[in-house]
Amino acid sequence: MDSKNIQKNAMQKSAEFTFTPPPEAPVFEPTPEEFMDPLGYIAKIRPVAEKTGICKIKPPARWQPPFSLDVDKLKFVPRIQKVNELEAITRLKLLFLEKILKFWELQGSPLKIPMIENKTLDLYCLKFWVDEEGGFENCNSPKKWRKIANTMGYSQSTITMNFLKSNYEKILLPYEIFEKSKADILKTVKKSDCKVEVKDESENGKEVFKEISIESITKMQNDFDDEQPHTSIKKTKTGSDIKIEPGCTKSKIDFEKIKRNRELRRLACYGPGPKMPGLNDEEFDITKSRKRPRYDLDPLAIYICAICQKDHRDDLLLICNGCSDTYHTFCLKPPLNVVPDGDWRCPCCIAEEVHKPAEAFGFAQAEREYTLQQFGEMADKFKSDYFGMSGHLVPTNVAEKEFWRIISSVEEDVTVEYGADLHSMDHGSGFPTKSSLNLYPGDQEYVDSGWNLNNLPVLEGSVLRFINADISGMTVPWMYVGMCFSAFCWHNEDHWSYSINYLHWGEAKTWYGVPGSGAELLENAMKAAAPDLFKSQPDLLHQLVTIMNPNILMAAGVPIYRTDQNAGEFVVTFPRAYHAGFNQGYNFAEAVNFAPPDWLHIGRECITHYKYLKRFCVFSHDELICKMALEGDRLDLETALETQKELVHATEEEGRLRALLLKNGLKNVRRTAFELLGDDERLCEVCKTTCFLSSVYCSECKHMSCLQHATGDSFCPCSLEKQTLFYRYDMDELHIMLQTIDFRVNSFDKWMTETKNILLPTAPDIGRLQKLKVLVDEAEELKIPKCILLTQLKDEYTKATENIEPIVIELDDD
């Protein structure tokens, strides 16, 4: 489906709410034996689960870890979520409505949105569908208005069609005309010159304000009036810019200086003392007058229309409440039929206000700090009040449909709170850890369990264990305290890693997932459905603040699956899988990232994608690969193989780019330890990636670049003499590193092949015991990590030694 059809479909679905739940994601129930190896089990289910992006894992019934946080001590400040502002199209409608309301309010005619069929008229959709029919001028037949009414979900009666047409003409057409003519008006209007104050120079040369009496001002005015026929005067917009021809007297020039000063003009009328009793400030301040100029209050003022530059029809001259410029009602586009009663702003001020760039959308922090109990009481009361029944009695499908209904409604102003991204380093973890207090004897099993989210990222076989730093939310868990309708928006994980979420207790969490293969489909569909939103914020999907109805995305061809995660269950998301969801009620969850060896090539693709988006990395992918290669004796065969592939790619790319730089004439070269620098000190100026293997630094403009962008024109225009290539390893060292990992892989491969052969039932018995012993010794020498094959080898060797019959040697006495 092309972009235009996606947008049309989104508009139709937003007009009349419907929701069909997506198909269910797979659910897995490992046996107690399978459950003992988390990464092994996830690798086993990956061929099925990665096709849906998310899956649910139900642990064996006996696995019930204790909740280890002190509920009385945990305190947090949640985020505030206005639910309907989360949805992309609803947010567009709200932003458009805000512009329309502001447009009319600034013109002195506050707007009340009309109702139709017991609903607020959807002005955004109305404008969209009229534009689709070629604009208001082309909507000149009942057939077209009937079509518009139908697509907006309204009845097709004559009354409805006339209602839509008249309200478009009354509310949207003036705004449309204003938008089209805005540029022309702004070109026509000449803004006032800067105001000039009456100043004089004292004997020491410093400017001082002169004290002028009321009599002198009046006298100057009379003298000026008497001599006016002999003076050529050129009027402009405000009368402040008056050109005096040669021959004018000094008194006339002084008068012009006074006339340019608004305060002095007022003093000429009112005097420097208190205002006359009975008159308020509003009546005296001509800049705040709402209607025609009051010459009787300010006889020195000359008011000229900023568009036609004429001062006739002063009864139809409006003074802008913002800049004090004057305009004829009939010179405006569209013209005003009557003088507005309220505050009025000129086209320049309206354009400035209406088109102020919208602030980046985000979640505000609540003003109140909660304990878990206080948050739970608030959350339970909200849900029971909302549905009119005890919260736990509300079916999940009812809450799900209601969530998507209020998400798509401009009128529904539902606000909830979400205790999201609570750092376990600050608050502790819901799982028991070695530092947990008051552990019971049976808790040690859960302290050491691989499914404990504090352990999973650093298990044997997870490459994130080679990252020394604790990355909060990625290698160290984050916790989430939810309430009904609190939501997490469409996103995928940093570096496209895996994630796992465990619901400790409480009501269900509803998930929606898109497989990594459908990630670009989702991105394109969301951008097509709400193009104006992504035009102003291209990186919107990385801000985790936007959601969209799965049905809209599914209609655009995006594969989406859902699941309800209950207490005691895990949800796993796979690389690059987009996911979103909401909480059915009060609950407590914990989540972390992990990365098995199969993630390594996906992680590299992610860095390439981040470079294109100019998005910051959480860690350096090259640094991780080199650290793994240098600690090759800690790698199992699969990890070593994947590391070998990544290091080959990095070495070839590094060699190519360095050779290109040297060929271009770069001569300054220096070694540096990038890992000792902060991430912000080794960022590429162009793509924002974190440099590790090398970078180019310019001493002239103080810019740093990765090699990819240092070879182009986007880095800096300085001469090559000012640039230096910094490198972590020279090319010989990289090749030695590669040979080391190659040897490790080949040794693994040889050992595994021989082990598999000796364990075959058809393996020869002659010399078998000796061969088993050699392979066991090699495993220890190679530091083969614990695996099924090694366990089978040791078991077979033990069995073979036990079955050896003692050899009895009989000696002949003779």
Side-chain angles (χ1 to χ4, degrees):
M1 188 182 292
D2 61 31
S3 298
K4 197 62 186 175
N5 285 330
I6 290 173
Q7 191 178 14
K8 285 183 179 180
N9 179 70
M11 289 299 107
Q12 285 177 328
K13 288 189 177 297
S14 70
E16 187 168 350
F17 170 75
T18 57
F19 179 75
T20 303
E24 292 291 323
V27 180
F28 298 95
E29 299 187 38
T31 64
E33 292 74 24
E34 290 175 321
F35 195 69
M36 291 177 65
D37 181 10
L39 295 179
Y41 184 71
I42 292 170
K44 181 179 179 180
I45 66 175
R46 179 166 66 93
V48 174
E50 70 180 349
K51 293 177 182 177
T52 57
I54 62 170
C55 72
K56 184 164 69 173
I57 297 176
K58 291 184 176 182
R62 68 168 297 276
W63 197 81
Q64 296 183 355
F67 185 66
S68 297
L69 280 175
D70 189 330
V71 296
D72 296 321
K73 290 184 178 179
L74 176 63
K75 293 183 179 181
F76 61 95
V77 178
R79 297 171 180 171
I80 298 173
Q81 292 183 333
K82 292 184 177 180
V83 180
N84 63 352
E85 290 185 2
L86 299 176
E87 212 279 333
I89 296 171
T90 309
R91 195 186 308 162
L92 268 181
K93 292 180 180 181
L94 290 169
L95 289 172
F96 179 75
L97 194 58
E98 185 181 351
K99 283 186 177 183
I100 294 295
L101 291 171
K102 193 177 288 186
F103 170 76
W104 283 106
E105 181 184 0
L106 293 175
Q107 295 197 93
S109 304
L111 179 66
K112 184 177 180 181
I113 308 298
M115 301 287 291
I116 177 173
E117 298 179 4
N118 297 320
K119 292 187 293 186
T120 301
L121 177 61
D122 192 335
L123 293 173
Y124 181 84
C125 276
L126 179 59
K127 185 176 189 316
F128 177 83
W129 290 115
V130 169
D131 288 345
E132 283 298 304
E133 294 299 322
F136 185 74
E137 291 181 2
N138 290 323
C139 294
N140 48 16
S141 66
K143 182 180 177 181
K144 289 194 174 184
W145 284 105
R146 185 177 292 108
K147 182 180 176 182
I148 291 169
N150 182 46
T151 52
M152 292 184 68
Y154 301 134
S155 66
Q156 300 171 48
S157 65
T158 305
I159 295 175
T160 300
M161 291 188 292
N162 290 336
F163 180 87
L164 293 177
K165 183 179 180 181
S166 63
N167 276 285
Y168 190 98
E169 191 171 15
K170 176 183 174 184
I171 299 172
L172 294 176
L173 189 59
Y175 177 76
E176 193 177 294
I177 295 171
F178 167 77
E179 285 290 285
K180 290 177 180 177
S181 60
K182 177 183 62 182
D184 294 334
I185 290 178
L186 295 180
K187 286 178 185 176
T188 305
V189 173
K190 296 178 181 179
K191 300 302 290 179
S192 305
D193 294 335
C194 296
K195 305 293 186 293
V196 179
E197 308 235 312
V198 181
K199 295 180 181 179
D200 191 21
E201 293 189 6
S202 62
E203 293 180 1
N204 57 13
K206 292 184 179 180
E207 290 185 335
V208 295
F209 289 99
K210 291 178 69 175
E211 184 176 349
I212 303 175
S213 65
I214 299 302
E215 291 78 12
S216 63
I217 295 176
T218 308
K219 184 177 185 300
M220 280 189 245
Q221 182 184 354
N222 294 334
D223 293 342
F224 182 75
D225 291 338
D226 293 340
E227 299 181 17
Q228 191 170 1
H230 308 287
T231 307
S232 174
I233 300 176
K234 182 180 178 182
K235 295 181 182 178
T236 58
K237 177 179 63 171
T238 60
S240 61
D241 184 11
I242 300 180
K243 183 177 179 182
I244 309 294
E245 298 296 335
C248 293
T249 62
K250 183 177 184 301
S251 63
K252 297 174 188 173
I253 298 173
D254 289 341
F255 170 69
E256 293 306 318
K257 288 182 180 178
I258 296 169
K259 192 172 182 182
R260 291 190 187 107
N261 186 287
R262 178 180 294 161
E263 186 60 26
L264 288 175
R265 293 204 310 269
R266 290 186 192 164
L267 290 177
C269 295
Y270 317 134
K275 305 287 191 296
M276 291 170 57
L279 294 177
N280 56 40
D281 291 346
E282 188 74 12
E283 290 176 297
F284 279 94
D285 190 352
I286 194 68
T287 68
K288 293 209 167 106
S289 177
R290 307 295 187 248
K291 298 185 182 180
R292 59 181 291 270
R294 297 189 58 179
Y295 288 106
D296 55 324
L297 293 181
D298 200 347
L300 299 184
I302 298 177
Y303 294 94
I304 294 177
C305 174
I307 296 175
C308 69
Q309 300 292 302
K310 296 179 180 178
D311 61 356
H312 68 301
R313 294 306 306 269
D314 62 333
D315 58 318
L316 296 178
L317 272 174
L318 300 175
I319 297 182
C320 175
N321 188 251
C323 65
S324 302
D325 288 343
T326 50
Y327 294 77
H328 284 122
T329 56
F330 49 82
C331 287
L332 297 169
K333 293 183 182 180
L336 294 179
N337 296 325
V338 293
V339 174
D341 292 327
D343 292 353
W344 178 84
R345 300 286 179 100
C346 69
C348 299
C349 292
I350 291 176
E352 184 180 351
E353 281 294 318
V354 171
H355 293 285
K356 276 183 179 176
E359 294 183 6
F361 180 76
F363 302 129
Q365 293 291 107
E367 296 181 357
R368 178 183 174 184
E369 183 181 60
Y370 290 89
T371 64
L372 273 178
Q373 182 177 347
Q374 290 169 340
F375 189 86
E377 291 171 353
M378 179 275 295
D380 288 341
K381 184 177 186 304
F382 168 84
K383 186 174 183 181
S384 59
D385 289 349
Y386 189 93
F387 288 100
M389 65 175 78
S390 180
H392 68 277
L393 297 177
V394 180
T396 55
N397 64 325
V398 171
E400 180 179 34
K401 188 169 184 178
E402 181 63 12
F403 172 76
W404 290 110
R405 188 190 69 78
I406 59 177
I407 271 281
S408 63
S409 171
V410 174
E411 300 168 291
E412 299 281 349
D413 189 16
V414 177
T415 301
V416 296
E417 297 179 57
Y418 194 15
D421 299 343
L422 305 179
H423 299 197
S424 61
M425 288 189 294
D426 299 333
H427 301 282
S429 170
F431 288 98
T433 63
K434 293 176 182 177
S435 60
S436 297
L437 302 175
N438 304 320
L439 286 176
Y440 291 97
D443 293 346
Q444 192 61 42
E445 172 192 353
Y446 301 105
V447 172
D448 301 330
S449 172
W451 293 94
N452 183 323
L453 299 195
N454 297 281
N455 302 330
L456 188 60
V458 293
L459 289 178
E460 294 285 337
S462 173
V463 303
L464 296 185
R465 66 195 174 103
F466 291 93
I467 298 177
N468 292 332
D470 291 333
I471 304 173
S472 184
M474 192 160 192
T475 60
V476 178
W478 274 352
M479 298 175 296
Y480 302 84
V481 188
M483 65 177 288
C484 185
F485 301 146
S486 60
F488 51 103
C489 298
W490 285 113
H491 70 287
N492 51 26
E493 299 300 315
D494 288 327
H495 290 250
W496 296 350
S497 59
Y498 288 74
S499 78
I500 184 166
N501 183 294
Y502 181 72
L503 191 61
H504 284 280
W505 47 257
E507 297 191 59
K509 188 186 290 280
T510 299
W511 292 72
Y512 305 92
V514 174
S517 59
E520 290 187 9
L521 284 173
L522 178 136
E523 292 166 358
N524 293 334
M526 287 191 70
K527 290 173 183 177
D532 294 342
L533 214 55
F534 284 87
K535 185 178 179 181
S536 59
Q537 292 176 270
D539 63 339
L540 188 60
L541 277 174
H542 297 133
Q543 299 174 21
L544 283 73
V545 295
T546 306
I547 206 164
M548 186 173 282
N549 190 321
N551 291 171
I552 294 174
L553 299 172
M554 291 163 70
V558 181
I560 297 184
Y561 301 85
R562 73 172 301 286
T563 193
D564 288 321
Q565 178 191 19
N566 298 302
E569 296 176 343
F570 291 96
V571 166
V572 175
T573 73
F574 287 78
R576 209 187 177 181
Y578 272 97
H579 45 283
F582 71 98
N583 297 291
Q584 295 269 348
Y586 177 45
N587 58 23
F588 190 102
E590 192 164 350
V592 79
N593 293 100
F594 65 99
D598 62 80
W599 163 84
L600 284 172
H601 78 278
I602 301 170
R604 174 166 45 83
E605 290 175 6
C606 180
I607 295 300
T608 303
H609 188 68
Y610 280 7
K611 282 188 172 189
Y612 173 74
L613 297 175
K614 299 181 180 180
R615 184 181 177 188
F616 295 100
C617 303
V618 177
F619 57 84
S620 167
H621 191 79
D622 287 337
E623 185 175 354
L624 174 63
I625 296 301
C626 290
K627 186 169 176 54
M628 292 170 68
L630 290 170
E631 300 183 37
D633 57 349
R634 294 174 58 192
L635 306 180
D636 57 38
L637 177 60
E638 185 185 359
T639 307
L641 282 168
E642 294 295 335
T643 305
Q644 179 191 42
K645 293 176 187 175
E646 288 303 301
L647 191 56
V648 166
H649 179 274
T651 302
E652 290 177 350
E653 183 73 0
E654 192 70 15
R656 183 183 68 82
L657 292 172
R658 289 190 193 183
L660 183 58
L661 281 171
L662 296 175
K663 182 181 177 181
N664 290 342
L666 184 65
K667 295 180 180 178
N668 301 324
V669 179
R670 190 182 304 172
R671 184 191 292 270
T672 191
F674 284 93
E675 67 270 25
L676 300 180
L677 300 174
D679 284 358
D680 57 339
E681 298 177 274
R682 47 177 172 146
L683 287 179
C684 172
E685 189 74 23
V686 180
C687 66
K688 309 305 178 188
T689 199
T690 305
C691 299
F692 175 72
L693 286 176
S694 57
S695 71
V696 172
Y697 178 75
C698 177
S699 59
E700 183 72 21
C701 61
K702 309 300 182 186
H703 287 173
M704 180 181 285
S705 170
C706 67
L707 263 57
Q708 180 183 343
H709 292 105
T711 55
D713 298 329
S714 53
F715 174 38
C716 76
C718 306
S719 63
L720 289 175
E721 289 76 16
K722 301 291 183 181
Q723 298 177 10
T724 302
L725 169 66
F726 286 92
Y727 67 92
R728 180 61 183 88
Y729 303 107
D730 63 32
M731 293 309 300
D732 288 341
E733 290 170 325
L734 286 174
H735 284 110
I736 292 171
M737 200 184 297
L738 191 54
Q739 289 171 7
T740 304
I741 199 73
D742 287 344
F743 177 78
R744 176 74 172 166
V745 169
N746 293 334
S747 300
F748 261 124
D749 193 42
K750 180 175 176 292
W751 178 86
M752 288 188 69
T753 302
E754 293 179 354
T755 301
K756 286 177 180 177
N757 289 336
I758 199 69
L759 293 176
L760 290 173
T762 57
D765 291 334
I766 299 173
R768 187 167 186 271
L769 179 62
Q770 185 180 359
K771 186 65 175 175
L772 286 170
K773 185 177 187 311
V774 170
L775 289 172
V776 170
D777 291 342
E778 280 185 6
E780 187 174 346
E781 184 182 341
L782 290 170
K783 297 183 179 178
I784 301 290
K786 183 180 178 181
C787 60
I788 295 174
L789 195 59
L790 179 59
T791 303
Q792 289 175 345
L793 176 68
K794 288 182 177 180
D795 290 345
E796 194 66 24
Y797 176 69
T798 303
K799 189 190 300 181
T801 54
E802 289 175 351
N803 291 338
I804 295 176
E805 295 182 2
I807 300 174
V808 179
I809 302 175
E810 294 183 1
L811 298 176
D812 192 346
D813 291 341
D814 298 337

